[in-house]
Amino acid sequence: MSKEIDLSKLAEPFEESDVEWRVSRAWLKNNKIYCTCLAYCTARAIQKRLDEVCGPENWRNEAMHVHELRGPIAIEVGISIRINGEWVTKWDVSDPTHIEPVKGGFSGAMKRAGAQWGIGRYLYQLDETFAEVSEEPGKGWTYGTLPEKQGGGAFYWKAPKLPGWAMPKPPEFEIKAKELGDLKKAWVAKFAPETKNPSELRSGFTRFVHEKCGEFPVDDVSCWLRESYEKCMNIINDTTDPKGVSADVRF
């Protein structure tokens, strides 16, 4: 008999050690090297998460498919989870990599298929982030090269730190869906009691939160820190001269 699975736990943030960064862009400007990075969870972290949430016996990879579409090759991988005795599969694809093409392509497709189940999907909310760059190697630095059109020179870069909302939170720092709903209601009552347009309300609330707490996915309760929630609620409660929602209002 398969265990009861809480699929929502698949989407919880990973420890920073389970998140890796890769260079998305690198360029030379005024004789100075710059590079930006994107974060992703490792295939091993995905496997571990599936083991923990589903149990090793309740998930599996489906046979890998290789598709050739007028030249480009795509590697397709499926992740199946046994839910109420039935196997449910979600698929995604990736390009082969330059080094170990099949292994790298499988790993990439595994990460994408994991995101279909919510695993690591929150990392897509992270924008390209500037990395610290050096022309000399050192402890903790990763080797990189500029594109050939930029001269192909070597450089070293250090991965950025994840923002607080993208890190696991101890229970005392989490907020509940009802609390987020109460915060939105309090904000509407204080700043937009006459506004009925849902789009205007969403954008106004998002501007308010980003202005006070920095940018993060405000509609995803798992991305909230309790300190951010309390800061917003305190501002709402302490405001004596509220202003209505409009595109030019900065809260």
Side-chain angles (χ1 to χ4, degrees):
M1 181 181 294
S2 60
K3 62 181 281 189
E4 185 175 346
I5 299 171
D6 183 357
L7 293 175
S8 67
K9 291 186 177 298
L10 292 174
E12 292 181 353
F14 285 97
E15 296 290 345
E16 196 161 19
S17 59
D18 288 326
V19 175
E20 294 186 351
W21 296 81
R22 64 173 176 83
V23 172
S24 54
R25 293 186 299 142
W27 66 97
L28 186 66
K29 183 177 181 181
N30 296 328
N31 293 320
K32 186 175 181 180
I33 297 173
Y34 299 87
C35 85
T36 55
C37 303
L38 292 171
Y40 62 93
C41 54
T42 66
R44 288 183 179 179
I46 294 171
Q47 294 165 349
K48 182 181 177 183
R49 174 63 54 84
L50 287 163
D51 283 347
E52 292 172 345
V53 175
C54 305
E57 74 281 7
N58 290 319
W59 77 272
R60 67 190 184 195
N61 280 125
E62 299 300 327
M64 182 179 69
H65 298 151
V66 178
H67 302 278
E68 187 171 357
L69 306 172
R70 296 183 180 178
I73 293 176
I75 294 176
E76 184 179 39
V77 171
I79 295 177
S80 297
I81 297 176
R82 184 160 50 188
I83 302 172
N84 298 324
E86 300 290 334
W87 287 97
V88 180
T89 305
K90 297 190 178 185
W91 301 82
D92 215 317
V93 299
S94 180
D95 298 328
T97 54
H98 295 295
I99 301 175
E100 297 184 302
V102 175
K103 182 179 178 181
F106 176 89
S107 179
M110 176 79 167
K111 296 167 191 174
R112 290 175 177 268
Q116 296 284 355
W117 284 103
I119 305 173
R121 191 186 298 167
Y122 69 99
L123 293 172
Y124 293 153
Q125 303 284 351
L126 286 170
D127 293 328
E128 283 186 314
T129 305
F130 278 93
E132 189 177 353
V133 175
S134 172
E135 294 184 8
E136 301 296 331
K139 185 177 180 180
W141 295 85
T142 302
Y143 177 82
T145 56
L146 289 166
E148 289 187 10
K149 65 180 181 181
Q150 294 279 335
F155 66 93
Y156 299 86
W157 61 278
K158 187 175 289 187
K161 291 291 185 181
L162 289 171
W165 64 262
M167 300 282 285
K169 295 177 284 295
E172 63 268 24
F173 292 104
E174 294 179 351
I175 74 167
K176 306 299 182 184
K178 182 181 182 304
E179 291 179 292
L180 179 55
D182 290 342
L183 176 63
K184 290 180 177 180
K185 291 176 183 177
W187 178 84
V188 170
K190 179 61 66 86
F191 293 108
E194 305 301 325
T195 303
K196 304 301 180 184
N197 187 308
S199 177
E200 191 175 43
L201 288 170
R202 282 194 299 271
S203 62
F205 179 72
T206 299
R207 289 199 308 275
F208 167 72
V209 175
H210 286 179
E211 178 74 16
K212 299 305 180 185
C213 303
E215 294 194 9
F216 64 94
V218 299
D219 287 328
D220 185 346
V221 68
S222 68
C223 293
W224 278 80
L225 300 174
R226 178 154 294 279
E227 62 180 350
S228 301
Y229 167 82
E230 291 177 348
K231 183 175 184 179
C232 289
M233 189 63 85
N234 288 338
I235 291 170
I236 292 170
N237 291 334
D238 293 343
T239 299
T240 57
D241 183 24
K243 300 178 181 179
V245 176
S246 66
D248 58 352
V249 170
R250 290 181 63 83
F251 295 95

